[in-house]
Amino acid sequence: MGPSVEVSRDPGGIARQVVRGSAYSVAASLVTMALGFLRILLLLRFLGPEAFGVIGMAGVYAAAALQLVDWGLDQGVLHRQARDRPTLATYGWLRMGTVATAALALFLAAPILGALYPRMPELPAVLRGMSLVVLLQGLSFVQETMMSRDMRFDRRALVDVAAAATMTVVAPYLAWRGWGVWALVAEQASGIGVRALLTWGPLRMWRPHRGWDPEIARWFVRFGRPLWLSGNIQFLLERFDDFWVGTVLGQEALGLYARAFEFAQYPRRVVAGPLVLVLTPAFARLQDDRRRLSQAFYRGAYVLLRASLLLSGVMAIALPELLQLLNPRWLPMVRTFRLMLVYAMLEGWVALAGGLLVATGHPAAMGRVALARLAFFLPGVVVGAWAGGIDGVALAADGMMALSALMLYRPLRETVDFSIWPLMGGAVGALLIASTPALALEGSGIPPAPLARMAAKAAAFGTLYLLTLLLLEGRTWRPVVSSLRSHLMNRHGL
């Protein structure tokens, strides 16, 4: 065995590790999100949509190869809290073997897949490059799972930040030097390469050794069978739109759509992620007190919706001038992103609702929602692409998220008490009111300088949005903020 840390078995020790780990994870997430946003802006400056389309199509097939061999091995070794040599050896060889199989399959399938996309001549070579990324990713999976098992979130945070910093240097530099799509391949390879070097080098938690046990291998397969099925359903929900857009509409359309979708997810990453992280344990503790549970959910959803709409609204308002300054070839994605405002608003709500239902012992509702989303989304993407191109696919994503929110309404009302109009009405009204003068500035072309116009539009929208909310709901802000601050401080033991 390599260096390892024995986890404290007493509740106080585990609690301290969770608190410290949460702090590391949140800090690392903030750094990696900031670096990721800077990186994507620089890459938009130097690359056009077609490069992102090719890497997006290759990424779909690379992710599919990994998903098809993912039998929940990581979750299995965490579930067993494995420390004995036979279990760790069996897990390690299984994990590395399945990933090596996926990498080899992707490499061999590259010319066949390339023949299916004659309009993407670079795709076969990019797929071969991505097969190396898949192999390195599998090596990293093993060690990072051991870090999670031992609750070494400090090491995982260090790996995340180091990988993000490396990608932020490598990819924009190579794009600036004219590498095109290979700058994006290098982005993936450099990040995964740094992860593999760190996790198998100075931060190594496990060393390969003999000890294969067929019975343990069969247990891993039995344990992972339902996880494999749910993982493939989730994969279709996350990647079918990319696959269909790239296959039917082409690489440029995929590049535009994928970046619009990525921007639409920033409100969830910045706002919903930390809130769900903080509030889910609070929901579990309050599950036997309906009044306090209802208050916690309402106040969390209240802040989440308003913060998400503020962030996504500012991004939607400022995006045309930002893209004009960076690279005008990206301007066609503006309308697609704006159509995804519904998605941006509801995605965080669905995540918070899911956290509540799981924390209070109602996970079946989320399973039904996942199946309904799949049944709606797949034909919705096909019809949307045929009828409206990437804008139609964006509307399909909006519809899927709206369906999720509607299906969660009844189980939520059975668990907590809340009213939709007070929760959402003020935020939607403020969005509509604040958008009017900002869009008027955009239509008038005043100020003429793009940077000045972007600043004026964003300032007008943000100021009017907050003033409208203050006028409509100012009296409710203090208890909401006070409650969320209390949950946050309790979570971190302050």
Side-chain angles (χ1 to χ4, degrees):
M1 282 282 290
S4 181
V5 176
E6 182 68 27
V7 179
S8 175
R9 301 295 180 185
D10 68 284
I14 293 176
R16 284 191 295 272
Q17 285 181 309
V18 170
V19 169
R20 188 164 55 247
S22 298
Y24 280 120
S25 298
V26 170
S29 295
L30 292 174
V31 173
T32 55
M33 278 192 296
L35 289 173
F37 191 70
L38 172 62
R39 184 167 67 251
I40 191 62
L41 292 182
L42 292 172
L43 290 173
L44 292 181
R45 172 69 180 87
F46 299 123
L47 299 175
E50 66 284 346
F52 282 91
V54 174
I55 196 68
M57 203 72 248
V60 168
Y61 285 110
L66 279 173
Q67 178 56 49
L68 289 173
V69 300
D70 185 358
W71 281 87
L73 299 174
D74 299 336
Q75 294 92 325
V77 79
L78 291 175
H79 170 70
R80 288 176 69 116
Q81 283 295 291
R83 295 177 185 280
D84 59 287
R85 289 175 63 89
T87 299
L88 293 179
T90 304
Y91 159 75
W93 292 117
L94 266 177
R95 194 66 169 110
M96 291 188 290
T98 54
V99 171
T101 301
L104 179 61
L106 185 66
F107 184 88
L108 295 177
I112 301 172
L113 293 173
L116 299 177
Y117 297 89
R119 293 182 296 174
M120 299 185 191
E122 294 174 297
L123 183 60
V126 171
L127 284 168
R128 292 191 184 97
M130 290 297 290
S131 67
L132 174 61
V133 173
V134 167
L135 184 62
L136 292 174
Q137 194 169 2
L139 294 175
S140 179
F141 284 158
V142 174
Q143 298 292 350
E144 291 185 45
T145 300
M146 299 301 179
M147 291 179 186
S148 296
R149 182 203 62 180
D150 287 351
M151 302 181 75
R152 292 306 306 264
F153 300 110
D154 54 339
R155 294 191 176 192
R156 292 208 61 164
L158 176 60
V159 171
D160 290 342
V161 171
T166 301
M167 291 188 292
T168 304
V169 172
V170 170
Y173 173 75
L174 295 180
W176 173 61
R177 294 300 301 267
W179 280 44
V181 68
W182 289 101
L184 301 177
V185 177
E187 177 188 19
Q188 300 292 319
S190 63
I192 294 298
V194 165
R195 301 184 81 91
L197 285 173
L198 288 175
T199 55
W200 283 87
L203 303 181
R204 187 183 64 219
M205 303 291 292
W206 173 76
R207 179 177 297 170
H209 52 77
R210 295 180 181 179
W212 173 269
D213 189 318
E215 181 56 36
I216 293 175
R218 285 191 288 271
W219 179 89
F220 273 116
V221 173
R222 290 193 301 270
F223 177 86
R225 190 176 293 120
L227 295 176
W228 183 85
L229 180 60
S230 62
N232 279 279
I233 292 174
Q234 187 63 32
F235 174 81
L236 285 173
L237 285 172
E238 292 178 353
R239 304 306 295 265
F240 179 75
D241 49 350
D242 288 344
F243 164 77
W244 193 257
V245 170
T247 301
V248 174
L249 302 179
Q251 65 189 73
E252 186 169 348
L254 176 57
L256 293 167
Y257 174 79
R259 298 287 73 75
F261 190 83
E262 181 179 2
F263 279 6
Q265 290 187 311
Y266 268 99
R268 175 184 59 80
R269 296 174 186 171
V270 175
V271 179
L275 269 178
V276 173
L277 178 69
V278 169
L279 288 175
T280 299
F283 294 154
R285 291 187 181 184
L286 298 174
Q287 60 184 301
D288 297 322
D289 188 338
R290 186 179 179 100
R291 183 184 64 84
R292 295 177 65 199
L293 180 65
S294 300
Q295 289 178 341
F297 174 75
Y298 181 87
R299 290 167 177 171
Y302 181 95
V303 170
L304 186 151
L305 289 170
R306 282 146 186 79
S308 296
L309 281 183
L310 174 61
L311 177 58
S312 56
V314 169
M315 291 177 66
I317 289 297
L319 194 57
E321 287 75 21
L322 178 61
L323 296 178
Q324 187 176 349
L325 290 168
L326 291 174
N327 188 343
R329 294 183 60 193
W330 288 97
L331 285 172
M333 68 175 274
V334 171
R335 184 171 59 185
T336 306
F337 173 73
R338 287 176 172 175
L339 288 173
M340 288 184 176
L341 278 177
V342 174
Y343 183 97
M345 178 181 70
L346 293 179
E347 187 183 25
W349 159 270
V350 170
L352 186 66
L356 171 74
L357 292 172
V358 172
T360 55
H362 302 90
M366 297 306 298
R368 291 191 295 270
V369 168
L371 291 175
R373 290 171 68 174
L374 186 66
F376 174 90
F377 191 53
L378 268 60
V381 167
V382 173
V383 174
W386 170 75
I390 60 174
D391 292 344
V393 178
L395 290 175
D398 289 346
M400 177 190 69
M401 202 55 66
L403 174 64
S404 304
L406 288 173
M407 289 188 66
L408 290 175
Y409 180 76
R410 182 174 179 180
L412 279 175
R413 290 302 303 267
E414 294 172 353
T415 308
V416 292
D417 302 309
F418 66 97
S419 298
I420 283 291
W421 178 247
L423 185 62
M424 301 184 66
V428 174
L431 175 70
L432 295 175
I433 292 172
S435 298
T436 303
L439 292 176
L441 284 174
E442 181 178 313
S444 67
I446 299 174
L451 182 60
R453 187 165 63 252
M454 179 178 69
K457 287 165 56 183
F461 174 85
T463 302
L464 193 53
Y465 180 85
L466 293 173
L467 287 177
T468 304
L469 282 181
L470 183 62
L471 180 64
L472 295 176
E473 306 174 342
R475 289 181 298 176
T476 66
W477 282 15
R478 181 171 295 179
V480 169
V481 173
S482 176
S483 173
L484 287 175
R485 184 176 61 182
S486 175
H487 287 305
L488 180 62
M489 294 178 70
N490 287 338
R491 177 177 176 81
H492 291 287
L494 301 178

